Structures are given as C-alpha cells and as structure tokens.
Amino acid sequence: MHNPFEPELLIEERDAIRVVTLNRPEALNATNEPLHIALQSVWRHLAADGDARAVVLTGAGRAFSAGGDFAHFVELWDDRPRRRREIEGARRLLTEMVDFPLPVVAAVNGPAVGLGCNLAVLSDVVLIAESAYMADPHVSVGLTAADGGAPTWPLLMSMLRAKEYLLTSERIPAEQAVALGLANRVVPDADLLDQALAVAQRIAKLPPQAVQSTKRALNMHIKRAVAGVLEYALSEEYDSFETPEHQALVNRFLARSAARAAEVKSS
C-alpha cells in the first residue's frame, strides 16, 4: 500500500500487521508541523487497508516521541491562524485515534513525552521498554495539558495521581507507568518490537468484526469522558502560547540547546 506520509511516518507491512514508525530520530521524533499532520491523517489511510488487522506504533531511534518541537512552538506565537490549525489538528488526532477501528499496540521504545505519551495511551495495548519513561511536561513549559494527559490520564489512574504528575511534570519510569495504568507491561529493550508484534498478531488472528466492535464499545467510554474536557483544555492551550512565562521558558530551552550544539561543534 502506497505511503503518502513519508518521510515523517514509515509504514511497514508484516502480513496483516502494519508497523507505523515516527521517523524524526534526529529530533527524538518530536512533532513538527508535517509529522503532526501525518499523524492526523494516517489512521483513515490504515482503516482503508482491507488487508490490515492490527497496527504497531513505535518510534525510530532512541525515542518514542519527545512531544512538541520547541522551534515549532515559536512559529505559532505570532501566527494565530496557524496556531488555530494546530489546535484543531490536536483535536482531530485524538478523535481519529479513538475512532480508528483496528487495534493499536504501542511499542514505547524510549521517552514518550507530552503528545508522545498521549499517542501511547490512546493505543489499545501499551508495551514499554525498560529504559523508557513517560511524562507530560506541558505545565513545566507554560502550556495547558490539552493534547497531553488532562483529557485521558484520569481514565487510566486515580485523579489524585493524574494531578500530581500533570502539575509537577515529573517523569514516570517504565515500572511506575505500568503501576499507574499508563502501560500494560515492561519489556526488555531488545525484545520490545518482537513482543509488540506478537500481541498484534495474536489479536489479528481473531474474528475482525468482534475485535473491532469490542474496541469501539470500549472507546465509547473515552469519547464520552473527554468531550467537554478536550474543548476547554484546547481553548486554554491556544491562549497559553501567548503567555510570557511559556515564551520565556521556550527561549531559555532553545538558547541552552544552541549553546550545547556550539560546544560540540567547536570540540
């Protein structure tokens, strides 16, 4: 099947399984505008593949996804129409994943941060490598956690734990992610993709109508729970891009990154 999402997303056919790989390894698979758009559109593309029965979602290189690309944030500060499209895209991405009929197995091969973490937990089965971690740092960079954990985490863990991790932006190691309900189990790094494929293959062999209708029934809980929360949170995230706190934090991060790159280049 033709892949219109390259190079941002790779799609590999393995019998009835489609392996979708976020492919910006040099940026730890952070979501710039092209990758964000690809992630919104890939689900309908896969749903139209009559031979597909399950999907494995993973990242190229050493990260699953580092979340939003900070350089892209700067582009959104003064371009309100572009920022509105970004926010609408965030809504569409969540909706497309929840409505996607095929089962998705996330193989979290490294850090799953912000939007990256939400991509994982919107999947149907989540395997996480021993060395990986999850985090939603929206608040720590001055943004509302709209396309991160605010809509979904309270469905997976207690409200108190969701508040703790979202308000502090603390990293969640692999074992703790399983204990909280953000992942199904921890897997040795070297075995992650094989085990994710094995889970996907096991589900793919089951009657597809039963699998897909059961997933749809389960995801009705998510759709009902996130509807009002998502609208409010996305509106607030749109506004938070203009706050001086957010812009100062991003500028400091970019300055540190530039300084480190200059040191590496001169050494």
Side-chain angles (χ1 to χ4, degrees):
M1 193 175 188
H2 172 64
N3 176 15
F5 308 109
E6 291 180 333
E8 285 77 21
L9 285 178
L10 306 180
I11 301 176
E12 179 187 358
E13 296 186 9
R14 298 203 184 190
D15 297 324
I17 311 302
R18 302 294 176 264
V19 180
V20 177
T21 304
L22 283 69
N23 190 41
R24 297 189 70 224
E26 75 289 348
L28 301 180
N29 301 317
T31 50
N32 61 356
E33 191 169 30
L35 178 55
H36 200 229
I37 292 171
L39 284 167
Q40 295 163 42
S41 303
V42 71
W43 306 106
R44 293 195 187 191
H45 175 81
L46 294 167
D49 183 348
D51 296 323
R53 291 291 178 267
V55 173
V56 171
L57 180 64
T58 193
R62 59 192 180 92
F64 183 76
S65 173
D69 187 304
F70 276 33
H72 181 49
F73 288 169
V74 175
E75 297 170 349
L76 301 177
W77 289 348
D78 297 321
D79 190 338
R80 287 189 165 202
R82 190 176 183 183
R83 193 192 327 157
R84 177 61 62 194
R85 289 195 298 272
E86 187 88 1
I87 294 296
E88 290 298 325
R91 177 189 291 103
R92 181 186 172 198
L93 175 53
L94 186 146
T95 301
E96 291 288 336
M97 287 196 73
V98 171
D99 288 340
F100 181 60
L102 303 180
V104 180
V105 179
V108 181
N109 56 301
V113 178
L115 175 60
C117 184
N118 217 32
L119 288 171
V121 301
L122 284 170
S123 300
D124 303 302
V125 178
V126 182
L127 307 188
I128 184 169
E130 289 175 332
S131 65
Y133 64 86
M134 293 181 169
D136 188 341
H138 274 78
V139 169
S140 69
V141 295
L143 293 175
T144 307
D147 60 350
T152 55
W153 284 16
L155 305 175
L156 303 169
M157 65 178 84
S158 77
M159 179 64 76
L160 288 176
R161 300 307 292 272
K163 287 179 178 178
E164 176 185 1
Y165 283 106
L166 289 172
L167 295 176
T168 65
S169 299
E170 184 179 346
R171 289 184 180 185
I172 304 171
E175 291 284 359
Q176 182 67 358
V178 172
L180 289 168
L182 293 177
N184 292 80
R185 62 177 179 269
V186 180
V187 176
D189 290 37
D191 300 335
L192 179 68
L193 186 57
D194 285 344
Q195 290 204 26
L197 285 166
V199 173
Q201 287 162 354
R202 180 178 179 182
I203 298 173
K205 291 175 182 177
L206 298 172
Q209 188 276 340
V211 168
Q212 294 174 28
S213 60
T214 299
K215 171 178 172 171
R216 189 174 297 113
L218 291 167
N219 278 5
M220 284 179 181
H221 295 284
I222 299 175
K223 292 180 76 168
R224 290 170 179 166
V226 306
V229 176
L230 186 64
E231 296 305 316
Y232 168 77
L234 286 172
S235 175
E236 290 293 329
E237 184 172 18
Y238 175 88
D239 290 340
S240 58
F241 275 96
E242 296 185 1
T243 62
E245 296 87 357
H246 163 67
Q247 295 185 8
L249 286 162
V250 169
N251 281 328
R252 283 202 294 272
F253 174 87
L254 292 173
R256 288 196 303 269
S257 297
R260 285 196 297 269
E263 289 176 7
V264 170
K265 189 175 181 179
S266 62
S267 61

